[in-house]
Amino acid sequence: MRCVIARFPFDLFKNEVEDSMRGIKPEPVTGDAVVISRRVYPVKQVGEVITRQDRRDFSSAEVVRALSRLGFTCRTAEAAVPAPAPARTPLETASALLGTPAEVRSGAPGAVSEPRADGV
């Protein structure tokens, strides 16, 4: 199929795209994504591999349009799975395990009260 990406014409075929992505590890998906051979790739990564152009030279919409016409399943940024939250530091983990101190109220059972003037 003939398509235009970044003002350059390309003849793309589904099996050639699958072959070119074989052996390439998918990067974390933060935007638009495409499923190729049961692996989820960022659209910009696939576009860079199949066009041999810099990612800044084309938009993800151009690549999504071309890959959709080839029969690949494309997901928009809203439907993509968000990147995992960064891991906690050891200090943050310890703080979470210890929790916050309970509020001390005077007169409450178990509360620490001020020493009296007579020493009792």
Side-chain angles (χ1 to χ4, degrees), residues 11-47:
D11 288 320
L12 298 176
F13 299 97
K14 187 171 185 173
N15 61 345
E16 290 177 354
V17 173
E18 291 172 338
D19 290 341
S20 63
M21 295 308 293
R22 187 173 291 126
I24 295 178
K25 183 179 176 185
E27 297 172 358
V29 176
T30 57
D32 295 340
V34 61
V35 179
I36 299 175
S37 301
R38 292 179 282 160
R39 297 177 104 180
V40 180
Y41 292 91
V43 171
K44 288 281 200 166
Q45 180 184 12
V46 175

Side-chain angles (χ1 to χ4, degrees), residues 85-104:
R88 289 182 173 174
T89 64
L91 178 63
E92 291 171 334
T93 303
S95 295
L97 290 173
L98 292 173
T100 58
E103 288 189 31
V104 178

Side-chain angles (χ1 to χ4, degrees), residues 4 12 18 28 44 50-51 58-59 68 71 77 84 96 110 112 114:
V4 176
L12 298 176
E18 291 172 338
K44 288 281 200 166
I50 63 176
T51 65
F58 54 85
S59 70
S68 295
V112 178
E114 295 291 321

Side-chain angles (χ1 to χ4, degrees), residues 105-113:
R105 294 181 294 252
S106 61
V112 178
S113 60

